[in-house]
PDB file of all heavy atoms in Angstrom:
ATOM      1  N   PRO B 347     -15.714 -35.954 -14.132  1.00  0.00           N
ATOM      2  CA  PRO B 347     -15.983 -36.204 -12.740  1.00  0.00           C
ATOM      3  C   PRO B 347     -15.400 -37.540 -12.203  1.00  0.00           C
ATOM      4  O   PRO B 347     -15.305 -37.719 -11.019  1.00  0.00           O
ATOM      5  CB  PRO B 347     -17.509 -36.267 -12.732  1.00  0.00           C
ATOM      6  CG  PRO B 347     -17.943 -36.569 -14.084  1.00  0.00           C
ATOM      7  CD  PRO B 347     -16.854 -36.066 -14.974  1.00  0.00           C
ATOM      8  N   ASP B 348     -14.933 -38.454 -13.134  1.00  0.00           N
ATOM      9  CA  ASP B 348     -14.343 -39.641 -12.652  1.00  0.00           C
ATOM     10  C   ASP B 348     -12.932 -39.499 -12.079  1.00  0.00           C
ATOM     11  O   ASP B 348     -12.463 -40.344 -11.457  1.00  0.00           O
ATOM     12  CB  ASP B 348     -14.319 -40.662 -13.793  1.00  0.00           C
ATOM     13  CG  ASP B 348     -15.668 -41.124 -14.201  1.00  0.00           C
ATOM     14  OD1 ASP B 348     -16.523 -41.103 -13.354  1.00  0.00           O
ATOM     15  OD2 ASP B 348     -15.850 -41.532 -15.435  1.00  0.00           O
ATOM     16  N   ILE B 349     -12.361 -38.316 -12.431  1.00  0.00           N
ATOM     17  CA  ILE B 349     -10.984 -38.115 -11.868  1.00  0.00           C
ATOM     18  C   ILE B 349     -11.141 -37.176 -10.718  1.00  0.00           C
ATOM     19  O   ILE B 349     -11.694 -36.123 -10.788  1.00  0.00           O
ATOM     20  CB  ILE B 349     -10.113 -37.420 -12.955  1.00  0.00           C
ATOM     21  CG1 ILE B 349     -10.021 -38.233 -14.232  1.00  0.00           C
ATOM     22  CG2 ILE B 349      -8.736 -37.158 -12.399  1.00  0.00           C
ATOM     23  CD1 ILE B 349      -9.108 -39.443 -14.184  1.00  0.00           C
ATOM     24  N   LYS B 350     -10.682 -37.654  -9.545  1.00  0.00           N
ATOM     25  CA  LYS B 350     -10.863 -36.900  -8.323  1.00  0.00           C
ATOM     26  C   LYS B 350      -9.495 -36.287  -7.888  1.00  0.00           C
ATOM     27  O   LYS B 350      -9.462 -35.438  -7.055  1.00  0.00           O
ATOM     28  CB  LYS B 350     -11.346 -37.788  -7.136  1.00  0.00           C
ATOM     29  CG  LYS B 350     -12.580 -38.570  -7.540  1.00  0.00           C
ATOM     30  CD  LYS B 350     -13.836 -37.864  -7.288  1.00  0.00           C
ATOM     31  CE  LYS B 350     -14.966 -38.729  -7.445  1.00  0.00           C
ATOM     32  NZ  LYS B 350     -16.088 -38.267  -8.252  1.00  0.00           N
ATOM     33  N   LEU B 351      -8.365 -36.818  -8.414  1.00  0.00           N
ATOM     34  CA  LEU B 351      -7.075 -36.510  -7.895  1.00  0.00           C
ATOM     35  C   LEU B 351      -6.072 -36.634  -9.019  1.00  0.00           C
ATOM     36  O   LEU B 351      -6.198 -37.489  -9.906  1.00  0.00           O
ATOM     37  CB  LEU B 351      -6.780 -37.484  -6.805  1.00  0.00           C
ATOM     38  CG  LEU B 351      -5.417 -37.479  -6.107  1.00  0.00           C
ATOM     39  CD1 LEU B 351      -5.327 -36.200  -5.278  1.00  0.00           C
ATOM     40  CD2 LEU B 351      -5.224 -38.686  -5.139  1.00  0.00           C
ATOM     41  N   VAL B 352      -5.029 -35.831  -9.016  1.00  0.00           N
ATOM     42  CA  VAL B 352      -3.922 -35.989  -9.867  1.00  0.00           C
ATOM     43  C   VAL B 352      -2.644 -36.212  -9.137  1.00  0.00           C
ATOM     44  O   VAL B 352      -2.358 -35.454  -8.192  1.00  0.00           O
ATOM     45  CB  VAL B 352      -3.783 -34.710 -10.772  1.00  0.00           C
ATOM     46  CG1 VAL B 352      -2.578 -34.797 -11.731  1.00  0.00           C
ATOM     47  CG2 VAL B 352      -5.025 -34.397 -11.531  1.00  0.00           C
ATOM     48  N   ILE B 353      -1.904 -37.252  -9.538  1.00  0.00           N
ATOM     49  CA  ILE B 353      -0.624 -37.536  -8.818  1.00  0.00           C
ATOM     50  C   ILE B 353       0.454 -37.280  -9.916  1.00  0.00           C
ATOM     51  O   ILE B 353       0.381 -37.845 -11.035  1.00  0.00           O
ATOM     52  CB  ILE B 353      -0.549 -38.938  -8.347  1.00  0.00           C
ATOM     53  CG1 ILE B 353      -1.670 -39.144  -7.350  1.00  0.00           C
ATOM     54  CG2 ILE B 353       0.824 -39.228  -7.652  1.00  0.00           C
ATOM     55  CD1 ILE B 353      -1.737 -40.567  -6.814  1.00  0.00           C
ATOM     56  N   MET B 354       1.524 -36.526  -9.591  1.00  0.00           N
ATOM     57  CA  MET B 354       2.544 -36.243 -10.564  1.00  0.00           C
ATOM     58  C   MET B 354       3.918 -36.759  -9.895  1.00  0.00           C
ATOM     59  O   MET B 354       4.148 -36.447  -8.756  1.00  0.00           O
ATOM     60  CB  MET B 354       2.743 -34.815 -10.860  1.00  0.00           C
ATOM     61  CG  MET B 354       1.934 -34.536 -12.082  1.00  0.00           C
ATOM     62  SD  MET B 354       2.361 -33.239 -13.299  1.00  0.00           S
ATOM     63  CE  MET B 354       3.921 -32.734 -13.044  1.00  0.00           C
ATOM     64  N   LYS B 355       4.749 -37.458 -10.726  1.00  0.00           N
ATOM     65  CA  LYS B 355       6.001 -37.862 -10.184  1.00  0.00           C
ATOM     66  C   LYS B 355       6.971 -37.996 -11.345  1.00  0.00           C
ATOM     67  O   LYS B 355       6.566 -37.889 -12.553  1.00  0.00           O
ATOM     68  CB  LYS B 355       5.935 -39.171  -9.411  1.00  0.00           C
ATOM     69  CG  LYS B 355       5.228 -40.261 -10.145  1.00  0.00           C
ATOM     70  CD  LYS B 355       5.031 -41.447  -9.136  1.00  0.00           C
ATOM     71  CE  LYS B 355       4.856 -42.681  -9.908  1.00  0.00           C
ATOM     72  NZ  LYS B 355       5.076 -43.876  -9.075  1.00  0.00           N
ATOM     73  N   GLY B 356       8.260 -38.251 -11.069  1.00  0.00           N
ATOM     74  CA  GLY B 356       9.204 -38.310 -12.136  1.00  0.00           C
ATOM     75  C   GLY B 356      10.033 -39.628 -12.001  1.00  0.00           C
ATOM     76  O   GLY B 356      10.325 -40.059 -10.922  1.00  0.00           O
ATOM     77  N   ASN B 357      10.346 -40.235 -13.161  1.00  0.00           N
ATOM     78  CA  ASN B 357      11.206 -41.384 -13.116  1.00  0.00           C
ATOM     79  C   ASN B 357      12.708 -40.973 -13.017  1.00  0.00           C
ATOM     80  O   ASN B 357      13.028 -39.863 -13.484  1.00  0.00           O
ATOM     81  CB  ASN B 357      11.056 -42.199 -14.500  1.00  0.00           C
ATOM     82  CG  ASN B 357       9.865 -43.137 -14.392  1.00  0.00           C
ATOM     83  OD1 ASN B 357       9.298 -43.336 -13.263  1.00  0.00           O
ATOM     84  ND2 ASN B 357       9.485 -43.695 -15.463  1.00  0.00           N
ATOM     85  N   GLY B 358      13.468 -41.869 -12.497  1.00  0.00           N
ATOM     86  CA  GLY B 358      14.874 -41.545 -12.366  1.00  0.00           C
ATOM     87  C   GLY B 358      15.165 -40.703 -11.132  1.00  0.00           C
ATOM     88  O   GLY B 358      14.349 -40.607 -10.212  1.00  0.00           O
ATOM     89  N   ARG B 359      16.328 -40.040 -11.140  1.00  0.00           N
ATOM     90  CA  ARG B 359      16.748 -39.330  -9.886  1.00  0.00           C
ATOM     91  C   ARG B 359      16.253 -37.900  -9.784  1.00  0.00           C
ATOM     92  O   ARG B 359      16.620 -37.115  -8.920  1.00  0.00           O
ATOM     93  CB  ARG B 359      18.232 -39.401  -9.728  1.00  0.00           C
ATOM     94  CG  ARG B 359      19.060 -38.763 -10.765  1.00  0.00           C
ATOM     95  CD  ARG B 359      20.578 -38.935 -10.526  1.00  0.00           C
ATOM     96  NE  ARG B 359      21.417 -38.198 -11.392  1.00  0.00           N
ATOM     97  CZ  ARG B 359      21.826 -36.986 -11.161  1.00  0.00           C
ATOM     98  NH1 ARG B 359      21.519 -36.352  -9.994  1.00  0.00           N
ATOM     99  NH2 ARG B 359      22.550 -36.341 -12.014  1.00  0.00           N
ATOM    100  N   ALA B 360      15.373 -37.499 -10.734  1.00  0.00           N
ATOM    101  CA  ALA B 360      14.830 -36.185 -10.644  1.00  0.00           C
ATOM    102  C   ALA B 360      13.302 -36.246 -10.738  1.00  0.00           C
ATOM    103  O   ALA B 360      12.758 -37.162 -11.334  1.00  0.00           O
ATOM    104  CB  ALA B 360      15.363 -35.314 -11.810  1.00  0.00           C
ATOM    105  N   PHE B 361      12.622 -35.257 -10.152  1.00  0.00           N
ATOM    106  CA  PHE B 361      11.238 -35.010 -10.389  1.00  0.00           C
ATOM    107  C   PHE B 361      11.173 -34.309 -11.784  1.00  0.00           C
ATOM    108  O   PHE B 361      10.612 -34.750 -12.724  1.00  0.00           O
ATOM    109  CB  PHE B 361      10.621 -34.246  -9.337  1.00  0.00           C
ATOM    110  CG  PHE B 361       9.207 -33.673  -9.642  1.00  0.00           C
ATOM    111  CD1 PHE B 361       8.051 -34.569  -9.556  1.00  0.00           C
ATOM    112  CD2 PHE B 361       9.040 -32.404 -10.111  1.00  0.00           C
ATOM    113  CE1 PHE B 361       6.857 -34.069  -9.913  1.00  0.00           C
ATOM    114  CE2 PHE B 361       7.739 -31.911 -10.496  1.00  0.00           C
ATOM    115  CZ  PHE B 361       6.649 -32.812 -10.356  1.00  0.00           C
ATOM    116  N   CYS B 362      11.891 -33.100 -11.837  1.00  0.00           N
ATOM    117  CA  CYS B 362      11.974 -32.376 -13.087  1.00  0.00           C
ATOM    118  C   CYS B 362      13.005 -31.231 -12.888  1.00  0.00           C
ATOM    119  O   CYS B 362      12.848 -30.473 -11.967  1.00  0.00           O
ATOM    120  CB  CYS B 362      10.604 -31.763 -13.469  1.00  0.00           C
ATOM    121  SG  CYS B 362      10.724 -30.591 -14.802  1.00  0.00           S
ATOM    122  N   ALA B 363      14.056 -31.269 -13.683  1.00  0.00           N
ATOM    123  CA  ALA B 363      15.104 -30.316 -13.483  1.00  0.00           C
ATOM    124  C   ALA B 363      14.847 -28.953 -14.120  1.00  0.00           C
ATOM    125  O   ALA B 363      15.723 -28.075 -14.019  1.00  0.00           O
ATOM    126  CB  ALA B 363      16.449 -30.877 -14.003  1.00  0.00           C
ATOM    127  N   GLY B 364      13.661 -28.719 -14.724  1.00  0.00           N
ATOM    128  CA  GLY B 364      13.396 -27.411 -15.307  1.00  0.00           C
ATOM    129  C   GLY B 364      12.821 -27.552 -16.653  1.00  0.00           C
ATOM    130  O   GLY B 364      12.563 -28.615 -17.208  1.00  0.00           O
ATOM    131  N   GLY B 365      12.594 -26.374 -17.293  1.00  0.00           N
ATOM    132  CA  GLY B 365      12.199 -26.323 -18.660  1.00  0.00           C
ATOM    133  C   GLY B 365      13.379 -26.534 -19.586  1.00  0.00           C
ATOM    134  O   GLY B 365      14.508 -26.234 -19.190  1.00  0.00           O
ATOM    135  N   ASP B 366      13.141 -27.118 -20.705  1.00  0.00           N
ATOM    136  CA  ASP B 366      14.335 -27.393 -21.608  1.00  0.00           C
ATOM    137  C   ASP B 366      14.739 -26.152 -22.347  1.00  0.00           C
ATOM    138  O   ASP B 366      14.394 -25.893 -23.477  1.00  0.00           O
ATOM    139  CB  ASP B 366      13.906 -28.516 -22.625  1.00  0.00           C
ATOM    140  CG  ASP B 366      15.089 -29.063 -23.393  1.00  0.00           C
ATOM    141  OD1 ASP B 366      16.170 -28.418 -23.265  1.00  0.00           O
ATOM    142  OD2 ASP B 366      14.922 -30.070 -24.037  1.00  0.00           O
ATOM    143  N   VAL B 367      15.473 -25.308 -21.594  1.00  0.00           N
ATOM    144  CA  VAL B 367      15.816 -24.034 -22.214  1.00  0.00           C
ATOM    145  C   VAL B 367      16.847 -24.132 -23.333  1.00  0.00           C
ATOM    146  O   VAL B 367      16.850 -23.280 -24.212  1.00  0.00           O
ATOM    147  CB  VAL B 367      16.347 -23.018 -21.034  1.00  0.00           C
ATOM    148  CG1 VAL B 367      15.234 -22.521 -20.214  1.00  0.00           C
ATOM    149  CG2 VAL B 367      17.473 -23.645 -20.267  1.00  0.00           C
ATOM    150  N   SER B 368      17.689 -25.127 -23.365  1.00  0.00           N
ATOM    151  CA  SER B 368      18.586 -25.250 -24.441  1.00  0.00           C
ATOM    152  C   SER B 368      17.804 -25.423 -25.754  1.00  0.00           C
ATOM    153  O   SER B 368      18.135 -24.827 -26.794  1.00  0.00           O
ATOM    154  CB  SER B 368      19.542 -26.470 -24.367  1.00  0.00           C
ATOM    155  OG  SER B 368      19.681 -26.848 -23.090  1.00  0.00           O
ATOM    156  N   ALA B 369      16.679 -26.163 -25.704  1.00  0.00           N
ATOM    157  CA  ALA B 369      15.878 -26.319 -26.879  1.00  0.00           C
ATOM    158  C   ALA B 369      15.284 -24.948 -27.286  1.00  0.00           C
ATOM    159  O   ALA B 369      15.203 -24.650 -28.458  1.00  0.00           O
ATOM    160  CB  ALA B 369      14.780 -27.356 -26.597  1.00  0.00           C
TER     161      ALA B 369
END
Side-chain angles (χ1 to χ4, degrees):
Chain B
D348 291 334
I349 304 283
K350 311 271 190 229
L351 175 69
V352 178
I353 301 176
M354 268 211 14
K355 50 189 203 162
N357 275 348
R359 60 185 189 90
F361 168 80
C362 169
D366 190 349
V367 286
S368 338

